[in-house]
Amino acid sequence: TEVATAHPGDTRGVEVRIAGDAAEVTGSGGARIGVQAGLDALVTADAVVVPGGGGAAAAAGDSRLTSALREAYGSGARLYGVCSGTLVLAAAGVTRGRTVAVHHAKRDLLAGAPAGEVTSGLVTHGRITTVGGDVSTSVKSVDLAFQLLADFAPHLVDAVGDRLEVRPGRTHRVVASTERVA
C-alpha cells in the first residue's frame, strides 16, 4: 500500500511511502520492495494507493490492512485502487454503494462485497478512484498515478508527463456523489 502526502500548490511535489506490516513486500512478479512506514501511517495520509496483482484477493482477507484503510478513509484520505486492488477496498467496506472498476476476471469476487455498480475504466466516485477491467494502450497504474497527481498536485501533471514522455490514455469518469470531498 502506498501512502501519499501532498498539498495543492505545493511545489515540493508528492511524498510517497510504502506502508505495510512487514519490513518488505514481494510483488506478484517477485520484486521485493522495502517498507518505509507501518499501516498506522495510513490514518494520516492524504491518499492511499492499493495495488492489484496476484496477492490482492489474499490481502482483502487481512483485517489489519482493511481496518487501516477504513481508518484512513474515515480520516478523510482519498483511496485509489489499481485493478484487483479494488477487492481490498471492497473488503474494507469503503466501496458500499459506489461505482468501482476492477479487473474483468475479478468481477465475480466482488459479488458478495459491499460495492455498487462494477464497471471498467478509470472511475472516481466520491473520494474513491479505481481503474481496471478494460483493454487500453495505456497502463492502468500510470493512468491512476496521473489522476492522483491531478487531484493533489495538478501543477506537476504536465512536467511528469513530459519527463516520462507519456500521457494518460483512459477517459476519467466521475460519478456524482453527495459525499463531501475532503
Side-chain angles (χ1 to χ4, degrees):
T1 303
E2 296 175 52
V3 179
T5 304
H7 303 284
D10 184 346
T11 57
R12 292 173 295 168
V14 177
E15 175 188 344
V16 177
R17 293 177 287 157
I18 306 298
D21 59 3
E24 69 180 19
V25 294
T26 302
S28 46
R32 295 183 351 212
I33 303 163
V35 172
Q36 295 94 23
L39 290 175
D40 58 329
L42 274 62
V43 74
T44 60
D46 296 314
V48 178
V49 177
V50 181
D62 183 339
S63 62
R64 295 169 302 195
L65 175 57
T66 56
S67 177
L69 287 168
R70 277 191 301 280
E71 285 185 54
Y73 188 74
S75 295
R78 293 184 66 98
L79 304 180
Y80 297 82
V82 179
C83 197
S84 55
T86 301
L87 299 173
V88 183
L89 295 175
V94 298
T95 61
R96 185 177 314 280
R98 302 201 182 279
T99 300
V100 296
V102 68
H103 190 283
H104 74 277
K106 307 291 180 167
R107 285 180 172 218
D108 59 323
L109 296 177
L110 283 176
E117 177 188 354
V118 179
T119 189
S120 60
L122 176 64
V123 180
T124 296
H125 193 157
R127 288 184 287 124
I128 297 178
T129 301
T130 54
V131 64
D134 62 345
V135 175
S136 176
T137 57
S138 60
V139 178
K140 291 178 274 200
S141 56
V142 172
D143 287 347
L144 192 74
F146 272 107
Q147 186 56 50
L148 190 145
L149 277 177
D151 291 344
F152 286 95
H155 61 282
L156 294 177
V157 171
D158 288 338
V160 169
D162 291 346
R163 177 77 173 130
L164 296 176
E165 296 181 323
V166 69
R167 294 286 179 247
R170 285 176 175 78
T171 301
H172 181 218
R173 175 180 167 200
V174 178
V175 178
S177 178
T178 57
E179 173 188 37
R180 242 179 89 199
V181 178

